[in-house]
Amino acid sequence: MLTLLGLPPQVRKTLFALWMTALLFWSSLASLLPTLPLYIRDVGGTPHQIGIVMGAFAVGLLVSRAWLGRVADQRGRKMVLVIGLAVAAAAPLIYHLSQSLWLLAWVRAFHGISIAAFTTGYLALVTDVAPSEHRGEVIGYTSLAHPIGVAIGPSIGSWIHEWAGYLPLFMISSGLALIGLICIWPIREPESSRRSGLGSTLNKGLFWRLLLGDRLRTPALVMLLVGLTFGIMATFIPLFIADMDFSLNAGTFYTAAAIASFLGRILTGAASDRWGRGIFISMSLGFYGLSMVQLAQVTSDQQLLLAAVIQGLGSGILIPMMAAMMADRSLPQERGRVLSLSLGGFDLGIAIAGPVFGALVIPLGLPFLFLLAGGFSFLGLVLFMSFSSKTFGESLLFALGRSRDRYALES
């Protein structure tokens, strides 16, 4: 926190405006998490159809990631942030006008664009503004808006829904995003984030060359494996808790995970600027794997909460550290594309986890799926420790915090 107080006033003002905008954005999205499935049910959706509509969110997210990364590099981060907030403001109102399940699925896919746009623009702009020597710390602090928003949003949504119904709920969700637009409007982004030279070159068929290049290939694959882990957990944990007849509910699980995520982000941001990103990424992958192994064998509320805390630590550390590492490895004028592609692996994993592995629930059981999810995370850890740098030896040392990142441009 002392680092933030020591930054120039304009930088502090920009970071605070970004943080407030992120808090409003995530609160807007999270306010619909416990209530939108109920709305889909009330317009005639079966449980299977509810899953299809809710899962359509990932479709919009996936198909827009690369394009929005290019826009962020060529037209500026602020424009992409505005797109994300505008979609987040419009989608809840369109939900209320939609009575067809297929139309709801299209609106849900449209809503997914908001996360692709906001996360790409937000992470790119934060890393543009942050001093490179304190990048991990600044990303860690500014990312705290996510767990806070995800923690308070569902409570707001549930209370509004129970008190006043669906229309006020959708209006509040939309209003939060609109206030975020007001917060973001005065922000001035650094000139370096809008250079068009390299961005235009990247637009000319270098998508796969960038994705499969040495800097990005392993992080994107690791994020895909973590996305599969998270997708399995997020899709099936409510069903698992219901089947096991725990006294705790899924909301308590997510709250415990959010608190642990908050702590993980605070404790590791500044430390990564000193010891490197590698050891914390390795730690987070280990936490993810351990949490899934723990879930596969829980028999009590206490064990369930322990799994939530371990998973929250993993998620709270991984995304900020991976974003910081990819910012280290990219030029400002390509950063939007690099961040969007690395996060795209996570999106893809989440999108395919439910449909692909849902067929295994009945023959193999949920504990087996959680063990499989843990295996994905441990495989990601092995890949990171083996291929995150230029040689196996350098990769292992980097992953253990004993060597610098050989792909970091400052190196």
Side-chain angles (χ1 to χ4, degrees):
M1 188 63 70
L2 292 177
T3 297
L4 295 181
L5 296 176
L7 295 175
Q10 185 58 43
V11 174
R12 292 203 309 270
K13 182 179 178 180
T14 298
L15 290 174
F16 179 73
L18 284 169
W19 190 88
M20 284 300 303
T21 303
L23 180 63
L24 291 162
F25 174 81
W26 291 115
S27 297
S28 170
L29 260 66
S31 67
L32 299 179
L33 287 177
T35 50
L36 190 57
L38 301 178
Y39 179 75
I40 300 169
R41 182 199 63 189
D42 289 348
V43 299
T46 65
H48 181 240
Q49 290 169 330
I50 292 172
I52 292 175
V53 173
M54 295 298 291
F57 194 86
V59 176
L61 200 161
L62 279 170
V63 300
S64 61
R65 270 284 190 199
W67 168 70
L68 289 165
R70 185 168 64 248
V71 172
D73 289 333
Q74 295 178 346
R75 304 293 299 275
R77 326 301 193 199
K78 184 176 176 180
M79 174 173 287
V80 180
L81 285 170
V82 169
I83 291 173
L85 289 161
V87 172
L93 301 179
I94 306 176
Y95 285 133
H96 187 69
L97 301 175
S98 305
Q99 299 298 314
S100 162
L101 291 172
W102 287 111
L103 182 56
L104 281 171
W106 279 105
V107 179
R108 187 65 178 159
F110 170 70
H111 204 173
I113 297 173
S114 65
I115 283 191
F118 189 86
T119 54
T120 298
Y122 185 78
L123 287 171
L125 186 50
V126 167
T127 53
D128 289 342
V129 172
S132 59
E133 65 272 18
H134 298 295
R135 183 175 287 151
E137 182 178 4
V138 172
I139 291 177
Y141 284 134
T142 53
S143 69
L144 292 175
H146 176 266
I148 296 175
V150 170
I152 66 177
S155 298
I156 295 173
S158 297
W159 182 76
I160 294 294
H161 172 246
E162 293 175 3
W163 174 64
Y166 287 115
L167 179 57
L169 165 68
F170 292 138
M171 292 179 67
I172 290 294
S173 178
S174 176
L176 290 170
L178 284 174
I179 298 172
L181 271 174
I182 296 173
C183 291
I184 205 74
W185 208 257
I187 288 179
R188 294 182 180 180
E189 56 187 306
E191 194 64 31
S192 61
S193 67
R194 289 179 290 162
R195 296 172 185 164
S196 59
L198 185 55
S200 61
T201 302
L202 290 174
N203 193 26
K204 297 177 181 178
L206 294 186
F207 174 89
W208 291 108
R209 188 181 304 176
L210 181 62
L211 179 61
L212 299 178
D214 293 338
R215 292 179 298 164
L216 188 54
R217 180 178 59 248
T218 298
L221 184 55
V222 169
M223 292 302 288
L224 170 62
L225 292 167
V226 176
L228 290 171
T229 302
F230 184 83
I232 290 173
M233 186 274 295
T235 301
F236 299 113
I237 192 64
L239 177 62
F240 178 70
I241 292 175
D243 288 347
M244 295 293 288
D245 198 27
F246 291 114
S247 60
L248 300 178
N249 56 33
T252 305
F253 181 92
Y254 288 125
T255 299
I259 294 172
S261 172
F262 184 93
L263 295 175
R265 292 166 195 253
I266 287 180
L267 296 175
T268 58
S272 75
D273 292 323
R274 179 178 180 182
W275 293 318
R277 324 298 183 196
I279 188 172
F280 296 104
I281 293 175
S282 299
M283 188 186 303
S284 67
L285 293 170
F287 281 143
Y288 258 114
L290 288 173
S291 69
M292 295 301 105
V293 173
Q294 173 71 11
L295 271 180
Q297 54 188 354
V298 297
T299 57
S300 66
D301 291 345
Q302 293 76 16
Q303 292 176 337
L304 182 67
L305 284 176
L306 177 60
V309 169
I310 299 173
Q311 189 277 324
L313 287 172
S315 64
I317 297 171
L318 181 66
I319 298 297
M321 289 300 99
M322 192 65 78
M325 186 180 76
M326 297 319 300
D328 295 340
R329 295 182 174 193
S330 59
L331 297 168
Q333 54 266 45
E334 65 175 344
R335 191 164 290 150
R337 177 69 64 86
V338 169
L339 288 170
S340 70
L341 290 178
S342 60
L343 292 174
F346 187 73
D347 302 337
L348 179 60
I350 293 175
I352 65 178
V356 170
F357 297 106
L360 301 178
V361 172
I362 293 178
L364 298 177
L366 288 173
F368 174 83
L369 281 190
F370 293 138
L371 286 176
L372 181 63
F376 288 138
S377 289
F378 287 130
L379 177 58
L381 176 59
V382 171
L383 290 175
F384 185 74
M385 298 181 76
S386 303
F387 301 107
S388 59
S389 194
K390 296 184 177 182
T391 66
F392 173 79
E394 290 181 346
S395 298
L396 184 60
L397 290 174
F398 172 59
L400 296 177
R402 303 297 299 274
S403 175
R404 66 184 181 178
D405 185 359
R406 298 297 180 181
Y407 291 121
L409 300 186
E410 290 84 354
S411 299

